Amino acid sequence: MPSIRDLLHINVISGPSVLILALLMAAWFLPYFCKNGNLPREMLPLIGFVLVSLIATTVAQFLDVPSYKDADMIRTSVTAFITLLVGIGYFVLAYSRVSTSDQLRNTLIWIYLGGLVMIIWSVMQSGMWFINGRYPDWMRDFQDVFSLGPLYRQRAAGFALEPSWLAHMLNMLYLPMWLAASFSGYSVFSWRLFKKISIEMVLLAMGVLTLILTLSRVGWITFFCMVAFLVVHWNILLVQWIQHRFKIPRNRRIISAISITCLLVIIYLSFFILAAYIMSRVDPRMSDLFTQGFWQLNDINRYANALQFGERVVYWQAGWEVFSHYPILGVGLGNAGRWFTETIPAYGMNLIEVRNLLYRSGDLPNIKNLWVRLLAETGLIGFAFYCSWLSSFLIKVKSFRHSTYPHEKMAGYWGIFIIIGIIFEGFSIDSFAMPYFWISAGLVLSIVNFPGSHTLTVSEDGNNDE
């Protein structure tokens, strides 16, 4: 939001998040915490990660750090550490704000409303482009009020800075929530279309359409893997049903299970290849995928460049080189880009974006990969703590997907989906300040830690009853 940026006199993209978080923390979280409000014990590894990040950033001040243009090291380190605190702030805020079924329902209604507005605006963008081949001035002016990013050719961006950020927003908050609610039978409204289709199912379909319109390849793959988790579950049930239906003898069930599974894998691979082929015809960035020349490149950088994400791979390689030099504690938050002039692979200098970044831009480069960034800036120790935090979260929530209570079952699947999401979205975005994952994680843990849990049921007409 440019107006917020001008108000705070900062150029950080997460400026609005910082301002809103500060207001909410002062108005809600501090009074909550002062009244002996609790926090989930699953965040202990996260606190450990914060301490390791602080130690790594402090130790980095004593390293022989290369200078990078006029970027001040202390300023960039403090800014990077603040972005981490912003993410954690949204996590504890979401966790502490929702503690009853009524609060959950009211919270989800507002989130649904925000998602609906975002979807409508995104569809309007795509519709205007496909109909007229351009965006009218009023649409550009309206977008400029809410976003520093432009409107993109052929790709929906919503109110986000760019289409991939809209896909990240969908995959980290809206789609996992709606998919989990649809699968578990939970709904914040009693009304259902044809007595079967809930509001969450309708919003899920609209959200998937919006994700498609972003043309974000990482976004597509991420959601595909969420659905694949459910498909694996269904396949296990399908194999068992086939064995029971055709009365396969017990001594042949292992062979039959392997045979059926292999057949299903072949079917799914065929669908995957078909989807890739359709993408190559729709998305110009994938147009070379099924050409003979593409498969003769014989180099990962050339493959990546042919698919137009060569710059990303170069940044990952540069970050990995930083990690290989400082494997224990890394180089501190926000500092990995200072080594890029030394660690960028030779092939990277063939790419215009890389040359512009190194020689024409005043911005400090970033790795654009959460996992490589964790290794490069916090080392193996920080990486271990962060993965421990995700593991403790997953261990806590995964068993709830078997609950007979819809709100707990939704939380169990929601938690699994966002872990799948952060794994794949982490290959595209490396910022801690993007609040969507943190809000989802906070809400999921708050649901499974409700006081007097196991009291919410859904009646036959779809009403949520205690």
Side-chain angles (χ1 to χ4, degrees):
M1 297 183 69
S3 58
I4 303 297
R5 176 200 60 182
D6 297 337
L7 176 65
L8 299 178
H9 299 287
I10 59 175
N11 292 322
V12 182
I13 296 299
S14 59
S17 297
V18 175
L19 178 62
I20 295 171
L21 177 64
L23 295 175
L24 293 175
M25 294 291 280
W28 167 253
F29 182 74
L30 292 181
Y32 165 86
F33 193 73
C34 292
K35 294 179 181 178
N36 298 320
N38 69 306
L39 292 175
R41 63 181 181 179
E42 289 78 21
M43 72 176 297
L44 287 175
L46 183 58
I47 296 175
F49 174 74
V50 173
L51 295 177
V52 171
S53 299
L54 184 59
I55 293 172
T57 304
T58 303
V59 171
Q61 308 301 316
F62 302 96
L63 298 177
D64 184 17
V65 181
S67 61
Y68 190 87
K69 302 178 182 179
D70 59 347
D72 181 73
M73 183 173 178
I74 295 179
R75 180 182 177 86
T76 55
S77 296
V78 170
T79 300
F81 192 74
I82 289 176
T83 62
L84 174 59
L85 296 182
V86 167
I88 297 176
Y90 272 104
F91 168 73
V92 298
L93 187 67
Y95 175 84
S96 63
R97 186 64 186 86
V98 177
S99 58
T100 67
S101 58
D102 287 338
Q103 290 177 349
L104 172 64
R105 181 177 182 276
N106 292 333
T107 299
L108 293 183
I109 287 175
W110 283 104
I111 294 177
Y112 289 8
L113 180 61
L116 180 61
V117 172
M118 174 195 66
I119 289 172
I120 292 174
W121 181 239
S122 300
V123 173
M124 287 178 61
Q125 291 174 3
S126 296
M128 192 64 67
W129 176 264
F130 289 126
I131 293 174
N132 298 327
R134 58 181 295 274
Y135 299 108
D137 292 338
W138 67 265
M139 182 171 280
R140 295 182 184 276
D141 293 339
F142 189 74
Q143 180 76 2
D144 290 341
V145 174
F146 295 96
S147 175
L148 294 170
L151 293 173
Y152 286 75
R153 292 171 55 91
Q154 297 181 315
R155 305 177 66 189
F159 295 106
L161 183 74
E162 58 184 64
S164 62
W165 284 29
L166 174 59
H168 176 83
M169 184 189 309
L170 288 164
N171 281 327
M172 289 291 94
L173 178 59
Y174 296 103
L175 293 182
M177 174 178 57
W178 292 332
L179 182 60
S182 300
F183 188 73
S184 66
Y186 176 85
S187 179
V188 298
F189 300 104
S190 60
W191 178 87
R192 291 175 183 261
L193 182 63
F194 306 121
K195 297 183 179 182
K196 294 289 185 180
I197 303 174
S198 65
I199 291 294
E200 286 78 5
M201 294 178 183
V202 175
L203 290 172
L204 174 63
M206 297 171 66
V208 171
L209 172 62
T210 304
L211 179 66
I212 294 173
L213 295 176
T214 65
L215 295 182
S216 171
R217 292 170 291 186
V218 172
W220 291 355
I221 293 172
T222 300
F223 184 71
F224 173 83
C225 291
M226 293 181 194
V227 175
F229 175 83
L230 294 179
V231 171
V232 170
H233 172 74
W234 289 330
N235 285 347
I236 294 174
L237 297 179
L238 177 62
V239 171
Q240 294 174 347
W241 179 85
I242 292 175
Q243 290 176 335
H244 177 75
R245 176 67 176 80
F246 293 96
K247 299 178 181 180
I248 297 177
R250 186 177 297 273
N251 60 346
R252 295 184 179 180
R253 288 191 174 181
I254 294 178
I255 296 177
S256 64
I258 294 175
S259 301
I260 297 171
T261 301
C262 289
L263 177 61
L264 291 173
V265 169
I266 293 173
I267 293 174
Y268 293 138
L269 282 177
S270 300
F271 278 114
F272 183 80
I273 295 173
L274 177 62
Y277 180 78
I278 294 174
M279 288 174 61
S280 69
R281 304 277 73 83
V282 174
D283 190 345
R285 297 170 299 176
M286 305 281 288
S287 59
D288 294 334
L289 182 60
F290 287 90
T291 61
Q292 182 178 0
F294 175 82
W295 298 102
Q296 296 176 347
L297 293 175
N298 297 324
D299 182 85
I300 187 171
N301 290 107
R302 295 181 184 276
Y303 281 124
N305 191 43
L307 297 177
Q308 296 188 29
F309 68 98
E311 296 82 2
R312 295 296 181 103
V313 174
V314 166
Y315 300 147
W316 302 351
Q317 292 171 326
W320 183 264
E321 283 298 313
V322 176
F323 162 67
S324 67
H325 287 88
Y326 302 92
I328 306 302
L329 280 174
V331 297
L333 293 182
N335 293 323
R338 296 179 179 277
W339 274 265
F340 270 33
T341 54
E342 303 175 5
T343 59
I344 286 284
Y347 182 84
M349 303 312 296
N350 295 320
L351 306 178
I352 296 176
E353 179 183 315
V354 176
R355 295 201 301 269
N356 287 339
L357 179 66
L358 294 179
Y359 301 120
R360 296 185 179 181
S361 173
D363 297 331
L364 188 66
N366 58 61
I367 297 174
K368 301 185 185 300
N369 183 311
L370 175 63
W371 311 112
V372 178
R373 182 191 177 187
L374 289 172
L375 289 169
E377 297 186 351
T378 64
L380 288 171
I381 298 177
F383 185 84
F385 269 99
Y386 194 86
C387 291
S388 296
W389 137 244
L390 296 180
S391 298
S392 65
F393 173 86
L394 183 60
I395 292 171
K396 173 69 175 181
V397 305
K398 69 182 181 65
S399 61
F400 284 88
R401 73 184 191 275
H402 301 301
S403 173
T404 57
Y405 301 92
H407 72 299
E408 291 183 350
K409 188 173 183 179
M410 177 190 70
Y413 279 103
W414 187 354
I416 293 172
F417 292 152
I418 63 172
I419 291 297
I420 294 173
I422 195 64
I423 289 173
F424 289 94
E425 286 287 334
F427 286 91
S428 177
I429 292 178
D430 64 354
S431 174
F432 296 115
M434 304 285 275
Y436 317 107
F437 167 75
W438 300 104
I439 292 174
S440 283
L443 290 176
V444 168
L445 282 180
S446 71
I447 295 170
V448 300
N449 287 314
F450 273 178
S453 191
H454 311 299
T455 60
L456 192 65
T457 60
V458 173
S459 60
E460 293 181 356
D461 61 358
N463 287 308
N464 297 330
D465 302 318
E466 291 191 36

XYZ file of all heavy atoms in Angstrom, residues 233-300:
580
model
N -4.705 -40.767 0.241
C -5.634 -41.312 1.241
C -6.788 -42.042 0.554
O -7.158 -43.165 0.958
C -6.163 -40.176 2.106
C -7.257 -40.571 3.045
N -7.033 -41.310 4.194
C -8.605 -40.348 3.014
C -8.170 -41.518 4.820
N -9.141 -40.944 4.129
N -7.348 -41.443 -0.469
C -8.453 -42.081 -1.196
C -8.000 -43.355 -1.898
O -8.748 -44.327 -1.979
C -9.042 -41.101 -2.206
C -9.809 -39.973 -1.578
C -10.503 -40.003 -0.407
C -9.953 -38.659 -2.090
N -11.070 -38.773 -0.142
C -10.750 -37.921 -1.174
C -9.494 -37.998 -3.223
C -11.092 -36.584 -1.355
C -9.833 -36.664 -3.422
C -10.633 -35.972 -2.490
N -6.768 -43.347 -2.407
C -6.265 -44.531 -3.109
C -6.122 -45.721 -2.180
O -6.372 -46.867 -2.576
C -4.916 -44.217 -3.761
C -5.070 -43.352 -5.002
O -6.177 -43.179 -5.507
N -3.981 -42.811 -5.489
N -5.691 -45.465 -0.946
C -5.586 -46.555 0.024
C -6.960 -47.177 0.262
O -7.118 -48.398 0.275
C -4.986 -46.037 1.341
C -3.532 -45.595 1.107
C -5.045 -47.107 2.426
C -2.891 -44.933 2.318
N -7.955 -46.307 0.418
C -9.325 -46.809 0.599
C -9.816 -47.530 -0.655
O -10.528 -48.543 -0.562
C -10.261 -45.648 0.938
C -9.969 -44.899 2.248
C -10.958 -43.753 2.433
C -10.032 -45.850 3.437
N -9.435 -47.014 -1.831
C -9.850 -47.641 -3.087
C -9.260 -49.032 -3.233
O -9.961 -49.976 -3.640
C -9.426 -46.757 -4.267
C -9.721 -47.305 -5.666
C -11.225 -47.486 -5.862
C -9.140 -46.386 -6.747
N -7.979 -49.179 -2.911
C -7.333 -50.487 -2.998
C -8.025 -51.481 -2.064
O -8.303 -52.626 -2.448
C -5.835 -50.371 -2.658
C -5.214 -51.760 -2.520
C -5.107 -49.586 -3.743
N -8.315 -51.037 -0.849
C -8.998 -51.912 0.101
C -10.388 -52.280 -0.389
O -10.828 -53.426 -0.232
C -9.079 -51.217 1.469
C -7.717 -51.006 2.120
C -7.808 -50.183 3.395
O -8.833 -49.559 3.692
N -6.722 -50.162 4.154
N -11.090 -51.311 -1.003
C -12.433 -51.585 -1.519
C -12.390 -52.594 -2.668
O -13.213 -53.509 -2.741
C -13.074 -50.282 -1.992
C -14.456 -50.488 -2.567
C -15.626 -50.551 -1.875
C -14.793 -50.664 -3.948
N -16.685 -50.759 -2.732
C -16.197 -50.826 -4.021
C -14.052 -50.696 -5.124
C -16.863 -51.020 -5.220
C -14.710 -50.895 -6.318
C -16.102 -51.055 -6.357
N -11.426 -52.442 -3.579
C -11.310 -53.363 -4.708
C -11.003 -54.772 -4.209
O -11.583 -55.763 -4.698
C -10.210 -52.883 -5.684
C -10.653 -51.581 -6.384
C -9.895 -53.966 -6.718
C -9.594 -50.979 -7.265
N -10.104 -54.881 -3.235
C -9.767 -56.196 -2.708
C -10.979 -56.852 -2.055
O -11.194 -58.065 -2.184
C -8.627 -56.069 -1.690
C -7.292 -55.701 -2.315
C -6.213 -55.496 -1.284
O -6.497 -55.178 -0.128
N -4.965 -55.656 -1.679
N -11.763 -56.055 -1.360
C -12.962 -56.594 -0.716
C -14.052 -56.899 -1.743
O -14.742 -57.932 -1.642
C -13.474 -55.598 0.322
C -14.746 -56.033 0.999
N -14.766 -57.021 1.958
C -16.046 -55.612 0.842
C -16.015 -57.203 2.377
N -16.820 -56.366 1.714
N -14.212 -56.006 -2.723
C -15.281 -56.158 -3.725
C -15.080 -57.416 -4.559
O -16.040 -58.138 -4.870
C -15.313 -54.917 -4.624
C -16.306 -54.992 -5.769
C -17.747 -54.989 -5.266
N -18.712 -54.963 -6.354
C -19.068 -56.027 -7.061
N -18.528 -57.226 -6.786
N -19.951 -55.924 -8.034
N -13.842 -57.700 -4.936
C -13.574 -58.854 -5.793
C -13.083 -60.065 -5.000
O -12.605 -61.043 -5.587
C -12.549 -58.479 -6.874
C -13.070 -57.471 -7.858
C -12.807 -56.120 -7.699
C -13.857 -57.872 -8.934
C -13.301 -55.179 -8.598
C -14.337 -56.943 -9.833
C -14.071 -55.586 -9.662
N -13.168 -59.967 -3.687
C -12.861 -61.081 -2.784
C -11.500 -61.696 -3.089
O -11.356 -62.914 -3.277
C -13.956 -62.141 -2.880
C -15.331 -61.622 -2.469
C -16.402 -62.696 -2.616
C -17.764 -62.134 -2.211
N -18.855 -63.163 -2.331
N -10.502 -60.827 -3.158
C -9.137 -61.296 -3.421
C -8.617 -62.040 -2.194
O -8.715 -61.541 -1.070
C -8.224 -60.108 -3.757
C -8.725 -59.428 -5.043
C -6.777 -60.553 -3.916
C -7.956 -58.202 -5.425
N -8.080 -63.242 -2.380
C -7.580 -64.028 -1.236
C -6.509 -63.271 -0.448
O -5.771 -62.445 -1.007
C -7.002 -65.284 -1.900
C -7.686 -65.362 -3.226
C -7.940 -63.954 -3.647
N -6.422 -63.570 0.830
C -5.481 -62.868 1.698
C -4.037 -63.051 1.242
O -3.234 -62.121 1.354
C -5.654 -63.377 3.132
C -4.824 -62.615 4.164
C -5.114 -63.123 5.561
N -6.514 -62.881 5.904
C -6.942 -61.745 6.434
N -6.093 -60.747 6.647
N -8.222 -61.599 6.735
N -3.687 -64.244 0.735
C -2.302 -64.489 0.339
C -1.915 -63.753 -0.947
O -0.760 -63.786 -1.353
C -2.051 -65.990 0.178
C -2.953 -66.627 -0.874
O -3.934 -66.034 -1.317
N -2.612 -67.859 -1.284
N -2.892 -63.144 -1.630
C -2.586 -62.393 -2.856
C -2.818 -60.895 -2.699
O -2.719 -60.152 -3.675
C -3.452 -62.906 -4.010
C -3.160 -64.350 -4.412
C -3.994 -64.744 -5.619
N -3.704 -66.126 -6.027
C -4.289 -66.730 -7.053
N -5.202 -66.071 -7.770
N -3.981 -67.975 -7.352
N -3.137 -60.457 -1.497
C -3.474 -59.048 -1.317
C -2.273 -58.123 -1.494
O -2.412 -57.008 -1.973
C -4.113 -58.847 0.057
C -5.520 -59.414 0.129
C -6.254 -58.994 1.379
N -7.641 -59.453 1.335
C -8.532 -59.209 2.285
N -8.170 -58.512 3.359
N -9.771 -59.662 2.169
N -1.098 -58.581 -1.084
C 0.084 -57.731 -1.242
C 0.377 -57.506 -2.726
O 0.614 -56.374 -3.180
C 1.304 -58.361 -0.542
C 1.075 -58.403 0.974
C 2.565 -57.559 -0.855
C 2.212 -59.049 1.739
N 0.342 -58.612 -3.509
C 0.601 -58.493 -4.954
C -0.485 -57.640 -5.617
O -0.186 -56.780 -6.460
C 0.662 -59.891 -5.601
C 1.837 -60.685 -5.029
C 0.775 -59.777 -7.117
C 1.938 -62.109 -5.552
N -1.740 -57.847 -5.233
C -2.824 -57.063 -5.833
C -2.709 -55.590 -5.460
O -2.968 -54.709 -6.295
C -4.177 -57.619 -5.388
O -4.356 -57.473 -3.983
N -2.307 -55.321 -4.214
C -2.153 -53.928 -3.790
C -1.060 -53.234 -4.592
O -1.211 -52.091 -5.039
C -1.842 -53.864 -2.296
N 0.060 -53.948 -4.808
C 1.159 -53.377 -5.601
C 0.713 -53.150 -7.043
O 1.005 -52.099 -7.640
C 2.384 -54.307 -5.545
C 2.941 -54.367 -4.118
C 3.464 -53.825 -6.521
C 4.076 -55.363 -3.949
N -0.004 -54.098 -7.610
C -0.436 -53.979 -9.006
C -1.414 -52.820 -9.190
O -1.271 -52.017 -10.127
C -1.102 -55.288 -9.451
O -0.218 -56.374 -9.323
N -2.385 -52.723 -8.290
C -3.365 -51.632 -8.384
C -2.684 -50.289 -8.188
O -2.973 -49.322 -8.904
C -4.485 -51.837 -7.344
C -5.257 -53.128 -7.638
C -5.437 -50.645 -7.342
C -6.227 -53.522 -6.538
N -1.750 -50.231 -7.227
C -1.037 -48.975 -6.965
C -0.214 -48.552 -8.179
O -0.206 -47.367 -8.551
C -0.118 -49.130 -5.742
O -0.911 -49.488 -4.595
C 0.617 -47.828 -5.453
N 0.469 -49.501 -8.812
C 1.258 -49.177 -10.011
C 0.359 -48.653 -11.129
O 0.721 -47.704 -11.846
C 2.024 -50.411 -10.485
S 3.379 -50.891 -9.400
N -0.810 -49.269 -11.286
C -1.752 -48.818 -12.310
C -2.210 -47.388 -12.015
O -2.267 -46.545 -12.929
C -2.949 -49.758 -12.360
C -4.067 -49.374 -13.344
C -3.526 -49.353 -14.771
C -5.241 -50.345 -13.231
N -2.506 -47.112 -10.755
C -2.933 -45.760 -10.381
C -1.811 -44.752 -10.613
O -2.055 -43.630 -11.069
C -3.379 -45.744 -8.917
C -4.682 -46.498 -8.598
C -4.906 -46.547 -7.100
C -5.865 -45.831 -9.294
N -0.571 -45.149 -10.304
C 0.570 -44.252 -10.522
C 0.712 -43.918 -11.996
O 0.961 -42.762 -12.381
C 1.868 -44.886 -9.977
C 3.091 -44.093 -10.450
C 1.839 -44.931 -8.454
N 0.554 -44.924 -12.859
C 0.634 -44.696 -14.307
C -0.462 -43.730 -14.750
O -0.220 -42.814 -15.559
C 0.531 -46.033 -15.062
C 1.766 -46.893 -14.788
C 0.379 -45.788 -16.561
C 1.678 -48.294 -15.367
N -1.664 -43.922 -14.230
C -2.777 -43.035 -14.584
C -2.478 -41.596 -14.155
O -2.657 -40.651 -14.936
C -4.081 -43.534 -13.935
C -4.499 -44.872 -14.545
C -5.194 -42.496 -14.106
C -5.692 -45.510 -13.860
N -1.978 -41.436 -12.914
C -1.703 -40.089 -12.423
C -0.533 -39.433 -13.162
O -0.542 -38.232 -13.422
C -1.416 -40.126 -10.923
C -2.626 -40.524 -10.104
C -2.519 -41.394 -9.030
C -3.899 -40.048 -10.428
C -3.624 -41.776 -8.292
C -5.012 -40.421 -9.709
C -4.875 -41.282 -8.636
O -5.973 -41.654 -7.917
N 0.473 -40.234 -13.513
C 1.585 -39.682 -14.301
C 1.097 -39.222 -15.669
O 1.558 -38.194 -16.195
C 2.686 -40.735 -14.456
C 3.597 -40.959 -13.248
C 4.583 -42.093 -13.533
C 4.361 -39.674 -12.908
N 0.164 -39.956 -16.233
C -0.396 -39.564 -17.529
C -1.123 -38.231 -17.416
O -0.971 -37.348 -18.271
C -1.349 -40.649 -18.038
O -0.683 -41.881 -18.191
N -1.904 -38.085 -16.335
C -2.580 -36.814 -16.115
C -1.576 -35.686 -15.887
O -1.769 -34.553 -16.342
C -3.525 -36.925 -14.917
C -4.854 -37.537 -15.247
C -5.217 -38.764 -14.729
C -5.751 -36.884 -16.089
C -6.443 -39.344 -15.030
C -6.978 -37.450 -16.405
C -7.327 -38.682 -15.876
N -0.487 -35.985 -15.167
C 0.531 -34.973 -14.892
C 1.204 -34.514 -16.190
O 1.417 -33.307 -16.400
C 1.574 -35.540 -13.930
C 2.635 -34.554 -13.537
C 2.384 -33.598 -12.557
C 3.883 -34.582 -14.131
C 3.353 -32.686 -12.190
C 4.868 -33.668 -13.773
C 4.594 -32.718 -12.792
N 1.541 -35.473 -17.049
C 2.163 -35.124 -18.331
C 1.192 -34.331 -19.201
O 1.578 -33.356 -19.864
C 2.632 -36.403 -19.055
C 3.752 -37.076 -18.259
C 3.103 -36.078 -20.467
C 4.162 -38.437 -18.802
N -0.074 -34.731 -19.189
C -1.085 -33.992 -19.948
C -1.209 -32.559 -19.437
O -1.292 -31.614 -20.232
C -2.428 -34.710 -19.855
C -3.620 -34.015 -20.539
C -3.365 -33.890 -22.038
C -4.915 -34.774 -20.272
N -1.204 -32.399 -18.096
C -1.280 -31.055 -17.517
C -0.063 -30.222 -17.911
O -0.182 -29.027 -18.223
C -1.399 -31.146 -15.998
N 1.119 -30.852 -17.903
C 2.332 -30.146 -18.307
C 2.264 -29.722 -19.769
O 2.699 -28.615 -20.144
C 3.557 -31.022 -18.059
N 1.697 -30.596 -20.597
C 1.565 -30.251 -22.020
C 0.599 -29.085 -22.206
O 0.868 -28.162 -22.997
C 1.079 -31.470 -22.805
C 0.906 -31.202 -24.289
C 2.010 -31.156 -25.134
C -0.360 -30.960 -24.828
C 1.859 -30.886 -26.486
C -0.523 -30.694 -26.178
C 0.588 -30.654 -27.001
O 0.439 -30.370 -28.334
N -0.506 -29.103 -21.489
C -1.469 -27.987 -21.578
C -0.807 -26.694 -21.125
O -0.990 -25.635 -21.746
C -2.715 -28.303 -20.738
C -3.478 -29.490 -21.348
C -3.633 -27.084 -20.660
C -4.640 -29.964 -20.511
N -0.027 -26.771 -20.050
C 0.687 -25.582 -19.570
C 1.653 -25.059 -20.626
O 1.805 -23.845 -20.795
C 1.447 -25.917 -18.284
C 0.567 -26.103 -17.057
S 1.511 -26.657 -15.621
C 2.653 -25.286 -15.420
N 2.307 -25.977 -21.339
C 3.260 -25.539 -22.364
C 2.569 -24.824 -23.521
O 3.197 -24.028 -24.233
C 4.033 -26.755 -22.905
O 3.196 -27.608 -23.660
N 1.278 -25.097 -23.711
C 0.524 -24.425 -24.768
C -0.107 -23.118 -24.281
O -0.400 -22.237 -25.090
C -0.579 -25.366 -25.303
C -0.082 -26.706 -25.816
C 0.415 -26.619 -27.261
N 1.689 -25.941 -27.426
C 2.869 -26.533 -27.258
N 2.953 -27.791 -26.920
N 3.975 -25.858 -27.453
N -0.315 -23.008 -22.974
C -0.971 -21.826 -22.410
C 0.030 -20.796 -21.921
O -0.125 -19.594 -22.154
C -1.916 -22.252 -21.253
C -2.496 -21.027 -20.562
C -3.032 -23.141 -21.778
N 1.071 -21.269 -21.238
C 2.061 -20.382 -20.625
C 3.286 -20.279 -21.530
O 3.971 -21.277 -21.765
C 2.453 -20.938 -19.249
C 3.295 -19.967 -18.435
O 3.815 -18.991 -19.023
O 3.424 -20.175 -17.216
N 3.599 -19.086 -22.061
C 4.763 -18.941 -22.952
C 6.069 -19.363 -22.297
O 7.014 -19.761 -22.998
C 4.761 -17.434 -23.280
C 3.362 -16.980 -23.036
C 2.847 -17.816 -21.915
N 6.151 -19.280 -20.953
C 7.387 -19.665 -20.275
C 7.654 -21.161 -20.376
O 8.797 -21.600 -20.182
C 7.301 -19.269 -18.790
C 7.181 -17.766 -18.564
C 6.858 -17.471 -17.112
N 5.577 -18.060 -16.713
C 5.088 -18.026 -15.465
N 5.785 -17.435 -14.518
N 3.919 -18.578 -15.192
N 6.624 -21.945 -20.681
C 6.773 -23.399 -20.751
C 6.759 -23.906 -22.187
O 6.704 -25.115 -22.419
C 5.619 -24.050 -19.983
C 5.459 -23.592 -18.556
S 6.635 -24.384 -17.459
C 5.971 -26.049 -17.415
N 6.815 -23.015 -23.145
C 6.597 -23.400 -24.544
C 7.656 -24.361 -25.081
O 7.401 -25.120 -26.021
C 6.549 -22.151 -25.429
O 7.760 -21.416 -25.315
N 8.870 -24.361 -24.502
C 9.948 -25.219 -24.995
C 9.987 -26.578 -24.311
O 10.855 -27.400 -24.631
C 11.304 -24.532 -24.794
C 11.449 -23.287 -25.654
O 10.788 -23.231 -26.697
O 12.209 -22.382 -25.270
N 9.086 -26.845 -23.380
C 9.184 -28.041 -22.548
C 9.146 -29.326 -23.364
O 9.866 -30.284 -23.066
C 8.049 -28.050 -21.511
C 8.031 -29.212 -20.527
C 9.321 -29.243 -19.714
C 6.823 -29.114 -19.603
N 8.332 -29.382 -24.411
C 8.180 -30.610 -25.181
C 8.895 -30.533 -26.535
O 8.528 -31.239 -27.466
C 6.692 -30.926 -25.377
C 6.019 -31.410 -24.120
C 5.431 -30.516 -23.251
C 5.999 -32.760 -23.802
C 4.810 -30.958 -22.085
C 5.395 -33.217 -22.647
C 4.797 -32.311 -21.778
N 9.892 -29.701 -26.630
C 10.693 -29.626 -27.848
C 11.947 -30.474 -27.693
O 12.439 -30.695 -26.578
C 11.093 -28.172 -28.159
O 11.892 -27.660 -27.075
C 9.852 -27.304 -28.318
N 12.488 -30.942 -28.793
C 13.671 -31.791 -28.756
C 14.876 -31.026 -28.224
O 15.689 -31.562 -27.458
C 13.971 -32.343 -30.151
C 15.173 -33.283 -30.197
C 15.399 -33.850 -31.587
O 14.659 -33.545 -32.516
N 16.410 -34.691 -31.732
N 14.985 -29.751 -28.583
C 16.130 -28.964 -28.149
C 16.197 -28.797 -26.644
O 17.287 -28.714 -26.061
N 15.037 -28.767 -25.993
C 15.018 -28.573 -24.535
C 15.725 -29.719 -23.832
O 16.519 -29.503 -22.908
C 13.571 -28.452 -24.055
C 13.435 -28.377 -22.559
C 13.615 -27.170 -21.900
C 13.126 -29.505 -21.817
C 13.504 -27.097 -20.521
C 13.001 -29.447 -20.444
C 13.198 -28.235 -19.786
N 15.478 -30.945 -24.262
C 16.033 -32.106 -23.582
C 17.475 -32.389 -23.979
O 18.081 -33.355 -23.498
C 15.163 -33.328 -23.861
C 13.766 -33.136 -23.338
C 12.647 -32.816 -24.045
C 13.361 -33.187 -21.971
N 11.563 -32.684 -23.218
C 11.966 -32.904 -21.935
C 14.022 -33.457 -20.762
C 11.244 -32.878 -20.738
C 13.295 -33.438 -19.584
C 11.928 -33.149 -19.574
N 18.041 -31.562 -24.844
C 19.446 -31.709 -25.219
C 20.335 -30.659 -24.578
O 21.516 -30.551 -24.906
C 19.586 -31.639 -26.746
C 18.887 -32.783 -27.480
C 18.952 -32.630 -28.998
O 19.310 -31.575 -29.516
N 18.612 -33.711 -29.717
N 19.807 -29.892 -23.632
C 20.585 -28.806 -23.022
C 21.665 -29.323 -22.077
O 22.744 -28.745 -21.980
C 19.638 -27.864 -22.263
C 18.661 -27.082 -23.142
C 17.689 -26.272 -22.294
C 19.425 -26.152 -24.092
N 21.355 -30.398 -21.313
C 22.351 -31.087 -20.480
C 22.999 -30.187 -19.429
O 24.184 -30.320 -19.121
C 23.463 -31.702 -21.364
C 22.932 -32.772 -22.292
O 22.034 -33.524 -21.913
N 23.460 -32.827 -23.504
N 22.237 -29.263 -18.877
C 22.768 -28.414 -17.810
C 21.588 -27.838 -17.035
O 20.638 -27.320 -17.643
C 23.614 -27.278 -18.393
C 24.221 -26.404 -17.311
O 25.297 -26.762 -16.798
O 23.602 -25.369 -16.967
N 21.649 -27.932 -15.707
C 20.510 -27.501 -14.906
C 20.213 -26.020 -15.083
O 19.051 -25.591 -15.110
C 20.741 -27.833 -13.410
C 19.475 -27.522 -12.615
C 21.945 -27.076 -12.853
C 19.531 -28.013 -11.189
